[in-house]
Amino acid sequence: MQNKVLVIGSGGAGLVAALNAHEAGADVTVLTKDYPTRAQTSMAQGGINAVLKHSQNDSVEAHIANTLKSAHGIASEEEVKKLCTEAVDAVEWLDNIGVQFSRTKDGKIAHRRLGGASGDRACYAQDYTGLKILHTLYDQVVSKNIEIKNDRFLLDIITKQNKVEGVSVLNKRSGEVEIYSTNAVILATGGYARIYDKYSTNAVGTSGDGIAAAIRAGARLSDMEFVQFHPTALKNSSILISESARGAGGHLLNSKNERFVDELLPRDEVARAIHEEMQKGEDIFLDIRHLGEEFIDEELPQERKLAKLYENVDPATDLIPIKPVAHYTMGGIEVDKNSQTKVSGLFACGECANHRVHGANRLGGNSLLELVVFGREAGISAAGYAKKVGVEASIDKTEANNFLNQIKQYTNEADFYQIRDELGDIFYNNVGISRDKDSLQESLKTIKDYISKLHLMGVKDKSKIYNTNLIEFLEFKNMLELSRLVLKGAIAREESRGAHYRSDFPNEDEAYAKHTIVDINGVVAS
Amino acid sequence: MNIKIKRDEFVEYNVAELKGATLLEILNYIKTKIDPSLTYSSGCRSSVCGSCAMRVNEKEVLACSYKVQDGDVIEPLKNVEVIRDLVVNMDKAYEFNAKSKAWINKSASTPDVSQENEKLNEVQSDCILCASCYSACPVYAVNSEFKGPFSLTRVYKYVSDVRDSDAKEKIDVIQTSGIWDCTLCNECTMVCPQEISSKADIEKLRMKSTQYGYMDPNFGSFGGGLDFL
């Protein structure tokens, strides 16, 4: 009997899923396109929301209410309850496995305030929360001797009659396509905010590879039009400055040194307020000078380092120039109550999935929480499924590497790196903080044009060994596919809700208080 | 401005228009505008994912945080197999984490961690596994099985943690090709982008080891009569 679970992706969600599937008795292998500790999770700074036993003036009910409010009517109350109720357990578990949370004077896990929260609720490890969680999870995976295969790029999920049979991956080192037979696959491959290219806080590999593979395999996606812009990225480099800087009392100022918004509103509202100021020609700055050097070095050491290094300013003495850029994608793979997609045996968790907990706008501190709560659910569900199915998956191996062979025939008349740049510009300008029908439709036309010209692009580097030119082209192809779906969703939603703001329909419309669901052919329900 | 990059052989690139840019920005420029076959790793571009460690003028840096100077010579990390250009194979290096049992042995109940406890290994838990220290370490020239600076720092992180229930297991495994093989040369400290000193952690682990009854094996050889003959 086969009892295998394959986890694709090795960020926080993937590693939590792997640990839980392993504990549930499955034979787990993790495939990652780089190395586990290089994942996007390492970049999460602010914290992980949890109302703990020692929390004061806060409650799980308040966490639920804040999350639902920020989601603007399109989160699932049941899933949000699950998320917030299991938060205590999630953070206690992280504490138990050795995460170095910052502490209060009496040795309890410290809390800090993030936007949209009615209490100090985010547990944190200075401003390295994601880094320390990710590395601790990795050490646990190593301790369980769970197999990790590095440098494997996901090509396709192989299915038969809507059931998972395995996956095909490109071994970056050998240049060979490898096929892994398995009945159960967990996707934990991250979001798609790199569509915005240089206008994104995200790591360069955040190209939605798993989401694109899922829809090709027959899964559905939802709410793809909801892309969160983080209010405070460094102006020149788009590198993130954590919301905890505002949580601690940091101010947003325009060129006239005036504050213009309550800095602790949810991210969609703050980003929009900044956007409006910028439209008036204002430069925007984050000011944390009044917090004092000692506080900054203790609580926000990474922010100081990043501002110095990438913006040439010292937050202890200078204003920090900022702009809002794409940060987190609320949309993703549709999953049921067991984190399973429409394809039997295909599970998803983390940013690539849409567990309907963030709705139209995610709260800071809820994504690290999500990856623990739903990583666990996906791991346990997949292990249960693998045990139950029991029949060996068998794959016709000849079908698997079709599209790689096709790409080799592409003519290379157009430079995809240049078009990747253009895609970022188009999305930032037309599918960004403020959108309207004309610019969305024009963008869709351009994207369709790019897609139809893919065969004129392709790779110049013909090497088999570690061909990052090819990998970047495959990522670009995935991003183009997802761009089209983001646009379809954004065009269909003729209202404004959370992160999706339509200047031609500036109000929330009850008729759209529902999810936009797409499959490979386009919108199936909205 | 010219820089040289070690590929099959050294290749010189003119990047005059990119004064003041980080090395990663320059590599991206070369790849997307001049030569798409140039091969390197990158991720977060903000010094926290550990992907882009390499050597500039024989010193380890993160490409995303190093500002390029005219005449710089760029090479891959040392002590690891080069896969292509600046990309190296980290598998063996990372396996030393497993060989050092660098993880927590969970306790049945989690004790409170005081602020003082937390400070004991706060900086060690800032490690991004970029392997700059591993590349700079001279011990690999004589012992390829040396558990190495980042794994030993990780061990220190856990043995100094009040939540760990079995420090001895870790102390036992780092006696061989571990803490006593280090020459305390401090190269690891000099190149760490996170200001961690593995050398200092190794010294602390040596003290800890003596508490568990271990002795510096380098001392032993002086007293051994037969060795002397």
Side-chain angles (χ1 to χ4, degrees):
Chain A
M1 190 186 81
Q2 235 187 8
N3 194 20
K4 266 196 239 164
V5 171
L6 266 189
V7 180
I8 317 288
S10 61
L15 297 185
V16 171
L19 284 167
N20 281 280
H22 171 83
E23 200 169 309
D27 171 13
V28 180
T29 299
V30 179
L31 303 177
T32 170
K33 73 173 170 176
D34 296 301
Y35 293 90
T37 54
R38 296 183 179 181
Q40 174 85 35
T41 306
S42 68
M43 297 169 72
Q45 298 170 0
I48 171 167
N49 289 334
V51 179
L52 300 179
K53 285 166 193 140
H54 64 273
S55 293
Q56 285 174 351
N57 307 318
D58 201 6
S59 65
V60 174
E61 289 69 33
H63 186 189
I64 294 169
N66 294 160
T67 303
L68 287 171
K69 183 172 182 222
S70 177
H72 289 270
I74 56 162
S76 150
E77 206 168 326
E78 193 184 339
E79 296 297 312
V80 170
K81 272 185 185 155
K82 190 191 293 176
L83 178 78
C84 302
T85 311
E86 291 184 19
V88 188
D89 205 40
V91 168
E92 284 179 354
W93 177 68
L94 292 173
D95 186 21
N96 189 243
I97 61 173
V99 174
Q100 282 304 89
F101 286 113
S102 295
R103 302 282 161 168
T104 62
K105 284 200 174 58
D106 54 352
K108 304 292 183 199
I109 291 173
H111 282 104
R112 64 163 51 132
R113 181 71 63 103
L114 295 178
S118 59
D120 295 352
R121 188 178 299 143
C123 312
Y124 61 98
Q126 298 177 292
D127 50 2
Y128 283 117
T129 317
L131 174 76
K132 297 190 187 197
I133 289 176
L134 179 65
H135 281 245
T136 308
L137 290 170
Y138 172 63
D139 293 342
Q140 283 299 302
V141 167
V142 172
S143 80
K144 307 290 181 199
N145 208 13
I146 293 170
E147 183 179 41
I148 302 170
K149 288 186 175 287
N150 299 314
D151 279 330
R152 267 39 174 219
F153 182 88
L154 174 66
L155 295 173
D156 264 323
I157 297 149
I158 302 163
T159 59
K160 199 190 274 173
Q161 288 156 350
N162 202 39
K163 273 201 181 109
V164 167
E165 295 268 297
V167 300
S168 60
V169 301
L170 178 65
N171 180 331
K172 287 160 74 174
R173 296 175 188 171
S174 67
E176 299 290 341
V177 174
E178 297 173 345
I179 308 288
Y180 292 84
S181 299
T182 180
N183 293 309
V185 169
I186 301 172
L187 292 171
T189 48
Y192 49 92
R194 278 304 288 202
I195 291 175
Y196 293 81
D197 199 59
K198 62 180 176 289
Y199 302 101
S200 169
T201 60
N202 286 190
V204 290
T206 316
S207 46
D209 306 325
I211 306 177
I215 197 166
R216 289 197 296 268
R220 290 177 166 187
L221 314 181
S222 57
D223 303 332
M224 294 293 285
E225 65 273 29
F226 292 102
V227 177
Q228 176 166 84
F229 276 64
H230 197 291
T232 58
L234 292 176
K235 190 177 180 188
N236 289 311
S237 57
S238 293
I239 285 169
L240 174 68
I241 296 295
S242 169
E243 188 160 290
S244 50
R246 278 172 289 132
H251 294 155
L252 290 170
L253 303 176
N254 62 20
S255 321
K256 302 182 199 83
N257 258 329
E258 296 163 345
R259 290 175 69 189
F260 53 87
V261 64
D262 171 2
E263 288 87 353
L264 283 177
L265 289 171
R267 289 176 183 169
D268 55 339
E269 296 180 57
V270 179
R272 230 166 7 253
I274 295 175
H275 180 73
E276 280 164 23
E277 288 291 308
M278 287 170 69
Q279 295 296 100
K280 290 186 233 159
E282 297 285 334
D283 291 321
I284 308 300
F285 303 91
L286 175 65
D287 183 7
I288 61 170
R289 295 173 298 181
H290 53 288
L291 302 181
E293 192 167 357
E294 195 186 338
F295 178 89
I296 293 169
D297 282 343
E298 179 55 40
E299 300 277 312
L300 304 165
Q302 187 180 192
E303 314 310 337
R304 189 173 189 192
K305 176 174 153 182
L306 295 175
K308 281 182 173 175
L309 192 56
Y310 298 107
E311 201 69 39
N312 245 332
V313 296
D314 182 352
T317 53
D318 305 316
L319 296 176
I320 313 168
I322 56 100
K323 69 177 179 219
V325 300
H327 178 62
Y328 184 91
T329 46
M330 271 74 75
I333 305 163
E334 269 284 275
V335 287
D336 65 15
K337 287 183 179 61
N338 301 308
S339 297
Q340 188 168 211
T341 69
K342 261 197 101 61
V343 178
S344 300
L346 184 62
F347 299 80
C349 58
E351 192 176 345
C352 75
N354 183 4
H355 277 90
R356 300 187 169 186
V357 288
H358 309 308
N361 177 54
R362 176 176 71 80
L363 277 186
N366 272 355
S367 63
L368 287 175
L369 176 57
E370 164 187 24
L371 66 82
V372 180
V373 171
F374 295 108
R376 178 188 297 170
E377 179 180 281
I380 293 170
S381 301
Y385 178 89
K387 211 176 282 180
K388 205 178 66 203
V389 174
V391 200
E392 278 208 25
S394 64
I395 295 174
D396 180 359
K397 300 200 175 188
T398 53
E399 282 178 29
N401 49 30
N402 265 346
F403 77 74
L404 271 191
N405 288 334
Q406 267 174 31
I407 286 171
K408 287 184 188 146
Q409 316 299 324
Y410 288 1
T411 57
N412 237 320
E413 293 157 55
D415 176 10
F416 82 87
Y417 287 124
Q418 195 189 327
I419 295 166
R420 190 177 71 180
D421 268 2
E422 289 169 20
L423 175 68
D425 291 342
I426 290 170
F427 262 67
Y428 185 67
N429 291 318
N430 296 346
V431 202
I433 294 174
S434 178
R435 310 159 170 189
D436 65 55
K437 186 176 181 178
D438 290 347
S439 58
L440 289 173
Q441 280 183 333
E442 187 194 309
S443 306
L444 181 60
K445 217 175 116 210
T446 311
I447 301 306
K448 282 182 171 167
D449 184 49
Y450 291 157
I451 292 173
S452 72
K453 287 184 179 146
L454 264 173
H455 66 284
L456 303 176
M457 304 177 205
V459 292
K460 291 202 177 87
D461 182 0
K462 302 298 180 194
S463 166
K464 264 186 100 161
I465 308 300
Y466 223 91
N467 189 334
T468 51
N469 188 213
L470 172 62
I471 296 294
E472 285 165 356
F473 183 70
L474 293 170
E475 289 174 339
F476 169 70
K477 188 169 165 285
N478 286 334
M479 288 196 288
L480 269 189
E481 286 173 21
L482 298 181
S483 301
R484 186 175 65 91
L485 299 170
V486 171
L487 280 163
K488 291 249 180 195
I491 290 168
R493 189 173 285 279
E494 296 193 326
E495 63 150 359
S496 292
R497 185 181 296 273
H500 173 73
Y501 180 78
R502 288 278 300 257
S503 57
D504 46 352
F505 297 96
N507 299 314
E508 215 164 281
D509 179 349
E510 191 52 31
Y512 286 99
K514 55 192 177 185
H515 301 273
T516 312
I517 297 173
V518 296
D519 69 8
I520 195 75
N521 300 313
V523 177
V524 292
S526 68
Chain B
M1 193 165 73
N2 290 297
I3 62 168
K4 272 188 196 159
I5 301 177
K6 177 81 164 50
R7 305 188 62 184
D8 290 337
E9 51 200 41
F10 280 103
V11 180
E12 189 158 330
Y13 295 91
N14 183 314
V15 286
E17 56 267 63
L18 289 170
K19 224 168 180 305
T22 65
L23 176 53
L24 179 59
E25 285 165 341
I26 286 181
L27 294 174
N28 288 339
Y29 175 84
I30 295 170
K31 184 163 187 74
T32 57
K33 305 274 196 279
I34 302 173
D35 184 352
S37 72
L38 179 67
T39 306
Y40 54 94
S41 296
S42 77
C44 71
R45 83 231 179 277
S46 57
S47 326
V48 75
C49 77
S51 302
C52 66
M54 50 190 71
R55 288 186 306 142
V56 177
N57 308 329
E58 302 188 339
K59 183 177 179 289
E60 286 72 13
V61 299
L62 295 178
C64 68
S65 65
Y66 176 80
K67 304 266 168 79
V68 173
Q69 310 280 321
D70 187 32
D72 279 345
V73 177
I74 322 298
E75 295 173 89
L77 294 182
K78 283 192 304 189
N79 298 330
V80 279
E81 174 207 348
V82 175
I83 298 177
R84 188 180 175 194
D85 294 350
L86 302 169
V87 174
V88 295
N89 185 339
M90 296 300 303
D91 290 354
K92 184 180 177 202
Y94 288 161
E95 271 167 28
F96 288 118
N97 286 330
K99 288 180 180 160
S100 307
K101 298 187 182 288
W103 53 74
I104 209 164
N105 290 93
K106 287 189 269 182
S107 341
S109 67
T110 319
D112 279 350
V113 179
S114 69
Q115 281 184 336
E116 292 70 41
N117 291 150
E118 178 212 336
K119 293 293 168 218
L120 279 180
N121 60 11
E122 184 181 83
V123 69
Q124 287 80 2
S125 64
D126 288 344
C127 174
I128 59 174
L129 284 181
C130 67
S132 289
C133 56
Y134 189 94
S135 169
C137 179
V139 175
Y140 288 101
V142 292
N143 182 1
S144 63
E145 289 307 307
F146 179 45
K147 294 195 169 69
F150 67 70
S151 294
L152 293 171
T153 279
R154 249 171 152 74
V155 168
Y156 176 74
K157 172 171 110 91
Y158 285 115
V159 299
S160 63
D161 195 313
V162 294
R163 295 167 294 185
D164 186 53
S165 64
D166 188 4
K168 184 167 185 304
E169 185 190 73
K170 290 181 267 287
I171 295 291
D172 287 347
V173 298
I174 58 169
Q175 301 303 313
T176 318
S177 287
I179 48 173
W180 308 108
D181 292 61
C182 171
T183 63
L184 306 181
C185 73
N186 212 32
E187 290 292 327
C188 50
T189 313
M190 305 301 286
V191 300
C192 178
Q194 294 290 77
E195 296 177 13
I196 298 164
S197 173
S198 290
K199 177 225 174 203
D201 295 337
I202 289 166
E203 287 179 305
K204 284 181 274 188
L205 285 169
R206 287 182 178 185
M207 291 202 357
K208 204 120 194 159
S209 295
T210 59
Q211 290 164 18
Y212 284 89
Y214 286 107
M215 283 194 318
D216 185 344
N218 305 315
F219 276 146
S221 57
F222 289 106
L226 282 175
D227 281 354
F228 238 37
L229 294 174

